[in-house]
Amino acid sequence: MSDSKPLQFAYWVPNVSGGLVISQIEQRTRWDAEYNRELAKIAEKAGFDYALTQIRFTAGYGADNQHESVTFSQDLLSHTSKLKVIAALLPGPWNPVLAAKQIATISHLYGPRIAVNIVSGWFRGEFKAIGEPWLDHEERYLRSEEFIRCLKGIWRESSFTFAGDFYRFRDYALKPKPLSPLPEIFQGGSSRAARDMAARVSDWYFTNGNTPEGVRQQVEDIQAKAATNGHRVQIGLNGFVIARDTEQEAQAVLQEIIAKANPDAVKGFQHEVKNAGSASPEGEGNWAKSSLEDLVQYNDGFKTNLIGTPQQIAERIIALKREGVDLLLLAFLHFHEDVEFFGREVIPLVRELERQESRVSA
């Protein structure tokens, strides 16, 4: 294994309606505050380390209702004691000084349990609807990188000056600074631009669901580039979990999700994401090689293959850890029940397998 530390677990916060699959299958998951407060408590007790709130500004693909991420993150922090909450931020609607001040204040209210995920943007229609310029692929990542550099500078420096293509600061002093340790900075992506950005400035790199072999290629590329910058990036991988007592039961649920998918909505989502990714110079990015079946789960979560019995899932998780994955960002069909089951039946198996691997390598 690349790291002896226990693999960490995060879950997608359903603060957006429609669940985490574009399907008409029954989902006992709600997007309201009461449901999410209870989910955060369940996840914390189950052994999850992080929760990631989503940011959407417009309806689309089942997400008719959307709670704002920073405010929602703060509420979840107020109902937990250990869980770290990652607030998604979208450069454009947010600027670095507002984000820096918001997150610093939350840090003082709830301790250093707040983090941020910088989302470069994939939904062109959303930007158009809210009157934000739609930048090309490379520019979106350049802006995100400047955003992160500004966040770090504002939080660390007593007087921050910066002159970039997108943001400018002159002798800006933020007081109070966030509590130590400073908030972790996550980012997503699968393109070369995303990996290059992570290798320069991000603490964490989230990537879409993938096989161990596919993950290995991304990890090797990022870490080699990060090493030349004197940097180390931790890797988070998306996965959709269907854990059942038998593999047949789990596969039946997967097939029902796909069979009841909304084909028009999936095709519309495919059009948007492929348009966003194809603009990269290499013609790739998130979802570049995703089939329609893959896209029924927003972030290619089926590809990670966390579908089966608890033992099968635990063994696949360890295989991913061997390839350099530090954290799994997980989605579920019925969040309350499935998160509790995962914490009770899967995480203990993962920990035992980690102990066995440590003894073998000692």
Side-chain angles (χ1 to χ4, degrees):
M1 290 192 191
S2 64
D3 199 324
S4 61
K5 292 191 304 182
L7 187 137
Q8 299 185 80
F9 295 97
Y11 73 92
W12 284 95
V13 174
N15 60 304
V16 169
S17 64
L20 272 293
V21 289
I22 310 174
S23 176
Q24 300 303 313
I25 191 172
E26 179 198 5
Q27 298 187 68
R28 296 188 295 275
T29 292
R30 302 201 315 265
W31 57 275
D32 60 273
E34 182 180 355
Y35 181 92
N36 274 285
R37 290 165 183 160
E38 184 62 25
L39 174 57
K41 295 173 186 176
I42 292 169
E44 185 172 71
K45 184 177 180 181
F48 278 72
D49 305 279
Y50 294 88
L52 172 63
T53 56
Q54 305 174 64
I55 185 59
R56 292 277 195 97
F57 284 95
T58 62
Y61 319 112
D64 294 334
N65 298 282
Q66 321 94 28
H67 285 300
E68 186 273 316
S69 55
V70 175
T71 309
F72 212 79
S73 296
Q74 183 175 341
D75 187 71
L76 297 183
L77 288 167
S78 74
H79 287 84
T80 53
S81 59
K82 297 182 295 183
L83 189 71
K84 298 176 184 177
V85 183
I86 311 163
L89 301 175
L90 185 59
W94 268 277
N95 61 48
V97 69
L98 172 62
K101 203 162 188 68
Q102 282 179 306
I103 302 304
T105 297
I106 295 172
S107 169
H108 281 266
L109 292 173
Y110 298 107
R113 292 193 290 133
I114 185 70
V116 297
N117 180 41
I118 307 305
V119 182
S120 295
W122 59 266
F123 191 0
R124 183 174 185 173
E126 181 175 56
F127 277 69
K128 181 179 179 181
I130 63 176
E132 284 288 336
W134 177 249
L135 306 178
D136 72 25
H137 184 275
E138 298 296 285
E139 287 180 315
R140 293 199 299 277
Y141 281 98
L142 289 172
R143 177 170 66 179
S144 292
E145 181 169 339
E146 284 193 11
F147 194 102
I148 291 172
R149 290 186 184 278
C150 289
L151 277 184
K152 289 185 173 183
I154 291 168
W155 286 338
R156 291 173 176 169
E157 298 177 23
S158 58
S159 179
F160 179 63
T161 296
F162 183 85
D165 293 326
F166 300 94
Y167 305 109
R168 291 178 178 269
F169 290 87
R170 181 178 297 172
D171 300 327
Y172 175 63
L174 173 71
K175 294 183 181 180
K177 306 290 189 189
L179 296 179
S180 180
L182 292 179
E184 294 173 294
I185 296 178
F186 293 72
Q187 67 150 103
S190 295
S191 66
R192 178 204 45 79
R195 295 194 299 273
D196 289 354
M197 171 180 149
R200 290 189 291 264
V201 296
S202 300
D203 302 316
W204 286 88
Y205 172 80
F206 276 140
T207 188
N208 274 6
N210 212 327
T211 63
E213 295 74 23
V215 170
R216 183 192 311 132
Q217 294 174 13
Q218 292 196 56
V219 171
E220 289 175 349
D221 182 56
I222 291 172
Q223 300 301 9
K225 291 172 177 175
T228 65
N229 298 323
H231 188 46
R232 175 76 168 87
V233 185
Q234 297 189 82
I235 307 297
L237 176 69
N238 185 71
F240 191 88
V241 176
I242 306 175
R244 298 294 186 268
D245 292 330
T246 68
E247 184 177 13
Q248 291 75 16
E249 289 177 273
Q251 288 295 330
V253 174
L254 172 63
Q255 293 310 313
E256 185 181 1
I257 292 171
I258 293 170
K260 293 182 177 178
N262 182 330
D264 290 337
V266 175
K267 287 177 182 176
F269 177 62
Q270 182 183 46
H271 173 76
E272 288 287 348
V273 298
K274 299 245 177 188
N275 172 64
S278 64
S280 65
E282 69 275 21
E284 289 194 11
N286 280 345
W287 308 285
K289 299 177 181 177
S290 303
S291 69
L292 276 174
E293 288 189 355
D294 294 328
L295 293 170
V296 174
Q297 205 288 313
Y298 289 104
N299 293 92
D300 283 344
F302 300 153
K303 285 184 178 180
T304 310
N305 195 26
L306 302 182
I307 299 164
T309 67
Q311 185 67 36
Q312 289 173 320
I313 291 171
E315 290 172 358
R316 291 165 189 165
I317 287 172
I318 293 299
L320 292 165
K321 184 178 180 182
R322 290 193 195 107
E323 303 303 340
V325 173
D326 301 290
L327 177 149
L328 283 172
L329 172 59
L330 302 177
F332 303 85
L333 193 61
H334 312 301
F335 270 80
H336 279 192
E337 304 97 301
D338 290 346
V339 166
E340 192 277 333
F341 185 85
F342 187 88
R344 185 180 73 247
E345 301 293 337
V346 179
I347 292 180
L349 293 175
V350 172
R351 299 304 179 220
E352 177 55 32
L353 290 171
E354 287 177 325
R355 287 190 289 271
Q356 291 177 16
E357 297 247 346
S358 295
R359 287 196 292 270
V360 169
S361 60

